Amino acid sequence: MIKLLLILCIGLVFESTGVILLKKGMIQIGDLNGVTVAEIFRVVRAGATNPQIWLGMFLKHCFFSAC
């Protein structure tokens, strides 16, 4: 029982931290200012190079792997 509670608590920490980091990363990128090819590339490039988004995705992956 203790092992199950420990896994659930660790999963909860991974999940909540991952969501917060993804949110902060998306705020840093900003809104999509229009549907143009240049703007889409800007948002994709900014998301692909943002360390908070990568860390958030890693923590979400850890959460889904543990459960």
Side-chain angles (χ1 to χ4, degrees):
M1 182 68 171
I2 300 254
K3 183 178 177 182
L4 178 63
L5 288 175
L6 182 63
I7 290 172
L8 287 174
C9 287
I10 290 171
L12 177 66
V13 169
F14 283 161
E15 167 69 11
S16 58
T17 308
V19 168
I20 290 169
L21 286 171
L22 282 172
K23 180 183 181 234
K24 287 184 176 186
M26 294 302 289
I27 288 173
Q28 287 177 353
I29 290 173
D31 290 336
L32 189 64
N33 296 327
V35 185
T36 63
V37 174
E39 184 65 14
I40 291 172
F41 280 133
R42 179 195 70 82
V43 171
V44 170
R45 184 183 49 190
T49 59
N50 191 314
Q52 286 186 333
I53 288 179
W54 280 102
L55 185 57
M57 288 191 315
F58 173 73
L59 290 174
K60 295 281 280 182
H61 171 75
C62 290
F63 166 72
F64 286 116
S65 296
C67 292

